[in-house]
């Protein structure tokens, strides 16, 4: 498609956009009295207008029914989380039984590693990407130490080639084969938080399984953003947070995927609690643990309903729209943003380098040559919410649910004005 860097053209794209009305379904912060251009849906998605009602409903049930709300509210609390499994299964490409909602992301990865990182003297190594999200680094180091191994020996970091900003799949596969029968686990962020690179999840999963390792994915930046087929890819386990592309609110609940081959088992190592036991017999308060036949077996505590309610509100919006429509718009709006960046690049002395490879989702990470943090500050003051990553990178994620093509055009104009001011 031939794009143009003009307001009329951007407005024309908006007029053709089937999702344009969803912009009205979200609450935007304001700067100088004007709705912001929001590029940080990869960090915290905007609040859907309908979310408040979902929380209010729980508050009302709690006020009117108190403990009876567990079984007698309109959406009973004791199995409230079950409502999320079917819509989530579509988003991550899983069977409904393979998905559950519980805890928060890093907590879930720890719990899942109880089942899927069981090192032996021979097979104890973990492969992850270099400079993984800090929480994942702490997760892996502490798990390795907990099992009595030395992180320096046990954790093998995937390196990028000198001068390159992305990982090559062939290098990932070569490392997996090299570590071979010492490899216990591959655990990588499916979409890298810094560069926005989408890893070749099916190929890497296959290679990891072929050498006898477990393969898990941290999908914090992938869920609700890119096409996932966790079941068909034969992934062992995965977890994601819901507050980034899934708009469920700050620090909110996490989703997990556990491959069906591990479901319904009593002999799998797992940290257990009463909410993982069979619903039918849970309240008999028996001493034996009888697992739920689905991923709910990993549930430890009863459901934090006030946290899960906004997640349900968000998932109903994903149900209405569907991942395919979101991905279609995402591809186009990201391409338009890349075009706008190239246009502005040609009009100013500074240069931008998009360090995100073609295998990408919503995010473009842009290295600003000849510009510093003052440009970021200028953008924020002028109503463009982005984020800054050292040394010189801004991350731009135009979430297809609520960003418009006009936002991209206006962003270009503000960016140009900020640079001109710095260059003069
Ligand atoms: C956002 C993010 C997290 C956050 O973890 P929480 O436990 O929800 O605080 C973890 N890992 C990655 C890769 C992330 O992008």
């Amino acid at each position: 498609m031939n794009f143009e860097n003009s307001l009329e053209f951007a407005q024309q794209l908006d007029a053709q956009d089937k999702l344009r009305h969803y912009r009205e379904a979200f609450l935007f912060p304001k700067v100088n009295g004007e709705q912001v251009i929001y590029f940080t849906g990869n960090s915290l998605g905007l609040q859907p207008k309908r979310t408040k009602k979902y929380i209010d409903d729980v508050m009302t049930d709690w006020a009117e029914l108190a403990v009876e709300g567990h079984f007698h509210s309109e959406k009973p609390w004791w199995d409230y989380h079950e409502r999320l499994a079917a819509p989530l299964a579509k988003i991550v490409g899983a069977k409904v039984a393979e998905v559950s909602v519980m805890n928060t992301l890093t907590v879930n990865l720890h719990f899942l590693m109880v089942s899927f990182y069981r090192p032996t003297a021979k097979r104890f190594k973990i492969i992850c990407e270099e400079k993984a999200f800090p929480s994942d680094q702490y997760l892996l180091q502490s798990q390795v130490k907990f099992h009595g191994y030395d992180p320096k020996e046990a954790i093998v970091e995937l390196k990028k080639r000198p001068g390159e900003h992305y990982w090559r799949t062939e290098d990932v596969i070569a490392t997996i084969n090299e570590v071979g029968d010492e490899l216990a686990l591959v655990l990588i962020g499916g979409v890298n938080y810094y560069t926005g690179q989408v890893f070749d999840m099916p190929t890497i999963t296959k290679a990891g399984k072929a050498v006898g390792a477990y393969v898990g994915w941290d999908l914090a930046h992938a869920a609700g953003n890119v096409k996932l087929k966790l079941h068909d890819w034969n992934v062992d386990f995965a977890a994601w947070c819901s507050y980034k592309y899934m708009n469920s609110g700050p620090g909110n609940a996490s989703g997990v995927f556990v491959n069906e081959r591990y479901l319904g088992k009593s002999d799998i190592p797992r940290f257990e609690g009463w909410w993982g036991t069979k619903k039918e017999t849970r309240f008999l308060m028996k001493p034996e643990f009888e697992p739920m036949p689905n991923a709910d077996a990993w549930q430890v505590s009863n459901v934090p309903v006030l946290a899960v309610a906004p997640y349900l509100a968000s998932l109903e919006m994903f149900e209405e729209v569907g991942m395919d429509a979101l991905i279609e718009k995402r591809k186009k709006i990201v391409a338009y943003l890349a075009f706008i960046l190239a246009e502005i690049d040609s009009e100013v002395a500074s240069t931008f380098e998009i360090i995100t490879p073609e295998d990408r989702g919503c995010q473009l990470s842009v290295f600003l040559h000849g510009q510093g943090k003052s440009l970021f500050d200028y953008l924020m003051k002028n109503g463009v919410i982005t984020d800054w990553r050292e040394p010189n990178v801004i991350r731009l994620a135009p979430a297809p649910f609520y960003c418009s093509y006009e936002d991209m055009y206006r962003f270009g104009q503000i960016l140009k004005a900020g640079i001109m001011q710095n260059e003069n």
Side-chain angles (χ1 to χ4, degrees):
M1 176 162 212
N2 289 326
F3 290 132
E4 287 171 32
N5 182 21
S6 72
L7 179 61
E8 300 71 47
F9 186 82
Q11 287 175 338
Q12 215 175 303
L13 290 179
D14 281 324
Q16 295 159 4
D17 173 13
K18 290 195 266 325
L19 302 188
R20 67 182 180 279
H21 299 299
Y22 272 91
R23 189 173 169 81
E24 317 305 324
F26 288 87
L27 294 162
F28 283 74
K30 289 191 170 154
V31 169
N32 309 326
E34 267 198 68
Q35 189 166 309
V36 299
I37 298 170
Y38 197 71
F39 278 124
T40 41
N42 56 348
S43 184
L44 180 69
L46 291 180
Q47 183 183 135
K49 286 180 181 164
R50 70 178 79 178
T51 299
K52 202 164 190 305
K53 174 165 189 321
Y54 282 68
I55 298 174
D56 285 348
D57 285 349
V58 178
M59 294 298 280
T60 303
D61 286 340
W62 178 23
E64 292 176 358
L65 301 168
V67 73
E68 292 288 284
H70 278 300
F71 296 102
H72 300 296
S73 46
E74 194 197 322
K75 297 186 180 100
W77 304 331
W78 79 302
D79 57 5
Y80 195 99
H81 62 290
E82 288 183 4
R83 295 178 174 76
L84 287 82
L88 264 176
K90 283 192 211 160
I91 293 171
V92 301
K95 296 192 173 178
V96 177
E98 292 172 318
V99 170
S100 189
V101 169
M102 58 186 82
N103 310 314
T104 47
L105 173 54
T106 311
V107 171
N108 279 336
L109 289 171
H110 273 299
F111 274 107
L112 288 164
M113 283 181 74
V114 171
S115 304
F116 299 109
Y117 179 58
R118 284 139 52 190
T120 61
K122 170 100 183 114
R123 196 184 272 283
F124 63 99
K125 293 191 176 171
I126 301 176
I127 286 181
C128 66
E129 72 277 37
E130 67 175 336
K131 298 203 181 122
F133 191 85
S135 199
D136 298 42
Q137 295 185 44
Y138 311 144
L139 159 88
L140 297 182
Q141 289 163 16
S142 61
Q143 282 277 342
V144 162
K145 284 191 271 182
F146 173 76
H147 286 284
Y149 296 91
D150 177 1
K152 280 202 207 69
E153 221 192 315
I155 298 175
V156 179
E157 293 191 345
L158 298 164
K159 306 274 181 231
K160 290 173 256 185
R161 294 189 187 183
E164 293 188 349
H165 293 296
Y166 62 98
W167 289 267
R168 295 186 183 218
T169 304
E170 71 225 63
D171 295 352
V172 177
I173 304 303
T175 306
I176 288 173
N177 290 334
E178 236 166 76
V179 181
D181 56 10
E182 288 181 349
L183 185 61
L185 173 67
V186 178
L187 182 55
I188 300 174
V191 175
N192 182 255
Y193 82 100
Y194 189 92
T195 64
Q197 174 178 359
V198 181
F199 279 87
D200 184 344
M201 290 179 254
T203 304
I204 294 169
T205 301
K206 197 164 169 217
K209 303 295 300 166
V211 300
Y214 287 111
V215 181
W217 292 96
D218 178 338
L219 300 176
H221 279 261
N225 176 19
V226 299
K227 189 89 185 160
L228 297 168
K229 294 185 177 174
L230 298 180
H231 179 85
D232 290 351
W233 295 343
N234 196 25
V235 168
D236 289 307
F237 70 97
W240 54 91
C241 51
S242 57
Y243 47 80
K244 291 175 178 167
Y245 291 104
M246 285 202 275
N247 315 317
S248 78
N252 215 345
S254 159
V256 303
F257 164 88
V258 180
N259 193 293
E260 71 176 344
R261 80 177 78 93
Y262 306 111
L263 303 180
K265 295 211 161 144
S266 297
D267 56 353
I268 189 163
R270 176 169 54 207
F271 285 169
E272 295 173 339
W274 69 323
W275 237 251
T277 63
K278 277 200 176 135
K279 281 164 78 168
E280 296 75 19
T281 51
R282 184 174 304 153
F283 297 101
L284 299 178
M285 304 293 196
K286 296 193 297 186
E288 331 62 81
F289 183 91
E290 284 184 285
M292 284 286 287
N294 53 22
D296 289 347
W298 275 261
Q299 291 267 358
V300 176
S301 295
N302 78 98
V303 187
V305 179
L306 284 166
V308 177
Y311 198 0
L312 182 60
S314 147
L315 287 178
E316 292 193 350
M317 297 176 79
F318 276 85
E319 274 288 275
E320 287 162 22
V321 173
M323 277 312 291
D324 289 343
L326 279 167
I327 288 171
E328 192 187 321
K329 174 170 175 190
R330 183 260 286 161
K331 285 184 178 159
K332 193 161 163 183
I333 199 167
V334 172
Y336 190 53
L337 174 60
F339 166 82
I340 296 282
L341 283 165
E343 289 288 297
I344 305 301
D345 194 359
S346 69
E347 294 170 16
V348 296
S350 307
T351 52
F352 317 137
E353 182 188 354
I354 295 179
I355 61 172
T356 308
E358 285 299 320
D359 295 326
R360 68 192 182 196
C362 200
Q363 176 179 325
L364 291 181
S365 300
V366 185
F367 200 100
L368 304 165
H369 295 282
Q371 291 290 327
K373 192 142 187 290
S374 64
L375 178 63
F376 165 77
D377 295 334
Y378 179 92
L379 292 173
M380 293 295 276
K381 271 195 219 110
N382 287 278
V384 180
I385 313 290
T386 67
D387 74 19
W388 178 262
R389 287 285 180 268
E390 297 297 334
N392 238 13
V393 167
I394 55 172
R395 299 188 307 168
L396 305 169
F401 247 129
Y402 46 73
C403 287
S404 68
Y405 294 91
E406 185 174 335
D407 283 344
M408 303 305 110
Y409 169 76
R410 284 179 47 222
F411 161 68
Q413 296 303 302
I414 297 168
L415 179 69
K416 184 173 165 186
I419 292 173
M420 306 274 265
Q421 182 177 304
N422 284 349
E423 285 177 352
N424 286 333

